[in-house]
Amino acid sequence: MGPNGLCRAGLRNIFEVSPFDVIGEVSDIATIEPSTVLNPEIALMEISTDAPAVQRAVERLKEIYPDTLVVILSEKVCMATLAACLGAGVNGFLTRDISSEALLESLQLVVLGETVLPTGLATLLQHDDADWNPTRVNGSKAADLSDREIETV
């Protein structure tokens, strides 16, 4: 699950009254031994925003359990970390400010085959100048587009 013991304890409490069974938890991916934990259907990982480290952790988990669905639980949405996670094959990326009900519903959607992302992602894409550049759209310069066209892209 992640290095934060308090967070892991809170998640255990949430899962006690859910359709999900916790079959194991670790504070570090490096400590996972494939023979010590049953093959989980879904893994919930609490992460930092260090994109390369997160990508390595997800890739390591996928090496051990290739069929396990992976959902990331992060403090915030960092576009580089989100991209690294999606590139590594995660099935969901959620922020820790999510309600317990929304978390459980999101995990159920992932089990059904959906990819779940934070609800505020669209707003971030519109306003995060460091990661989102509306000056180029499909190889065209935004100057070639009307204000309305830029707005809808």
Side-chain angles (χ1 to χ4, degrees):
M1 285 184 180
N4 185 320
L6 184 60
C7 184
R8 286 197 321 269
L11 288 169
R12 273 193 309 274
N13 287 335
I14 291 169
F15 291 127
E16 284 179 4
V17 294
S18 79
F20 296 99
D21 294 322
V22 176
I23 60 171
E25 66 180 76
V26 296
S27 61
D28 186 350
I29 295 295
T31 63
I32 293 178
E33 294 293 328
S35 61
T36 61
V37 179
L38 299 173
N39 191 18
E41 180 177 15
I42 191 166
L44 183 61
M45 293 177 62
E46 180 187 6
I47 59 144
S48 68
T49 56
D50 177 12
V54 172
Q55 186 170 4
R56 285 190 301 272
V58 172
E59 288 170 349
R60 170 74 175 131
L61 183 64
K62 292 296 237 175
E63 285 174 13
I64 298 170
Y65 302 114
D67 298 326
T68 295
L69 302 167
V70 178
V71 176
I72 299 298
L73 193 57
S74 179
E75 178 68 29
K76 63 181 182 175
V77 178
C78 168
M79 294 308 289
T81 305
L82 176 60
C85 289
L86 292 173
V90 302
N91 305 92
F93 189 102
L94 304 168
T95 55
R96 289 192 296 205
D97 63 351
I98 192 170
S99 71
S100 58
E101 295 84 10
L103 172 64
L104 294 174
E105 289 175 12
S106 296
L107 294 177
Q108 289 173 337
L109 286 171
V110 167
V111 169
L112 293 172
E114 298 294 328
T115 299
V116 180
L117 300 171
T119 56
L121 184 58
T123 303
L124 179 66
L125 290 174
Q126 289 176 331
H127 297 99
D128 190 353
D129 294 335
D131 293 311
W132 179 250
N133 185 355
T135 61
R136 301 213 35 100
V137 179
N138 297 330
S140 302
K141 291 185 180 181
D144 298 336
L145 302 175
S146 71
D147 290 340
R148 178 66 181 133
E149 288 172 322
I150 293 171
E151 190 177 303
T152 59
V153 171

